[in-house]
Amino acid sequence: MNSSEISDAAISEILGGAEVMVSDTSQVSDGSSSVTIENVNRYSGGMTESVAETRTTTESGATETRTTSTVTGNDFTYVHETYTDSTGESMTSAKWTFADGSSTENVSGPEGDATYFTTPEGKVTGYYGDGTVIIRHPDGVVETRFEDGTVQETYPDGSVIEVAPDGTVTHTDPQGNTETLSPRGRCQQLDGLRQRRFRRARTR
């Protein structure tokens, strides 16, 4: 089951059919805006807890609603959030975070769908609905893979290396100057460019 599709019934199953133990509603108003908060807590044998909060904010006649549900287990945390803005557009996210620091998150909204995987080391890989894949490495390098086969690497010093589908390499330095390398011998050329990027980053 896709984590973004987990329903209240599925959460209840995760919790072992836990019952609602606490439910309360509060409202805060400062005259120009008001916030209504509804909390629901569920417990299962004292081991796993689910907290659902719906926060509705009304300001100048416009209403925004954010609903967050959290399930915490022995080795994971699951957070499901739905946000609806004053125009009626909604965004939904569902995120699993595990004990080793890794996580999986599905996001769906007006701009499309995306899935993010984070490793314990901090590398984040994002898959987008248009076929683009963006990898954010712990060393600061951002690698973007486009659906047409183009690969773009952006380095901490601001330089960019782009490899076209035919193997042509275009290098842009931090000052915006570009150079193009032919596909022939590009592996050795790429290695040299990458080493230069990291040497420059270390000396800054």
Side-chain angles (χ1 to χ4, degrees), residues 28-35 57-62:
V28 179
S29 176
D30 62 4
S32 61
S33 64
S34 63
V35 179
T57 304
T58 302
E59 184 171 0
S60 301

Side-chain angles (χ1 to χ4, degrees), residues 102-165:
S102 63
S103 66
T104 300
E105 181 179 15
N106 294 321
V107 178
S108 179
E111 297 182 359
D113 300 338
T115 299
Y116 302 94
F117 297 98
T118 303
T119 68
E121 296 74 30
K123 183 177 78 172
V124 181
T125 303
Y127 295 86
Y128 299 86
D130 63 358
T132 302
V133 178
I134 298 179
I135 305 172
R136 300 180 184 279
H137 297 273
D139 59 11
V141 176
V142 178
E143 178 182 350
T144 303
R145 301 177 182 177
F146 298 94
E147 192 173 21
D148 67 358
T150 301
V151 178
Q152 185 181 83
E153 300 173 357
T154 303
Y155 289 81
D157 66 356
S159 60
V160 178
I161 296 175
E162 183 173 290
V163 183

Side-chain angles (χ1 to χ4, degrees), residues 16-174:
E19 297 181 354
V20 173
M21 301 296 293
V22 180
S23 180
D24 65 87
T25 301
S26 60
Q27 185 166 359
V28 179
S29 176
D30 62 4
S32 61
S33 64
S34 63
V35 179
T36 300
I37 303 171
E38 180 180 355
N39 294 292
V40 177
N41 298 335
R42 303 184 186 96
Y43 298 91
S44 177
M47 297 297 294
T48 307
E49 175 184 346
S50 173
V51 179
E53 177 187 276
T54 299
R55 181 182 294 261
T56 302
T57 304
T58 302
E59 184 171 0
S60 301
T63 299
E64 299 179 351
T65 302
R66 187 184 301 273
T67 300
T68 304
S69 297
T70 304
V71 178
T72 304
N74 292 330
D75 57 358
F76 73 91
T77 299
Y78 170 75
V79 178
H80 186 279
E81 184 172 78
T82 300
Y83 170 73
T84 304
D85 65 18
S86 59
T87 67
E89 289 192 334
S90 296
M91 185 185 78
T92 300
S93 67
K95 184 174 183 178
W96 291 90
T97 302
F98 301 96
D100 64 358
S102 63
S103 66
T104 300
E105 181 179 15
N106 294 321
V107 178
S108 179
E111 297 182 359
D113 300 338
T115 299
Y116 302 94
F117 297 98
T118 303
T119 68
E121 296 74 30
K123 183 177 78 172
V124 181
T125 303
Y127 295 86
Y128 299 86
D130 63 358
T132 302
V133 178
I134 298 179
I135 305 172
R136 300 180 184 279
H137 297 273
D139 59 11
V141 176
V142 178
E143 178 182 350
T144 303
R145 301 177 182 177
F146 298 94
E147 192 173 21
D148 67 358
T150 301
V151 178
Q152 185 181 83
E153 300 173 357
T154 303
Y155 289 81
D157 66 356
S159 60
V160 178
I161 296 175
E162 183 173 290
V163 183
D166 67 358
T168 300
V169 177
T170 301
H171 169 239
T172 304
D173 68 19

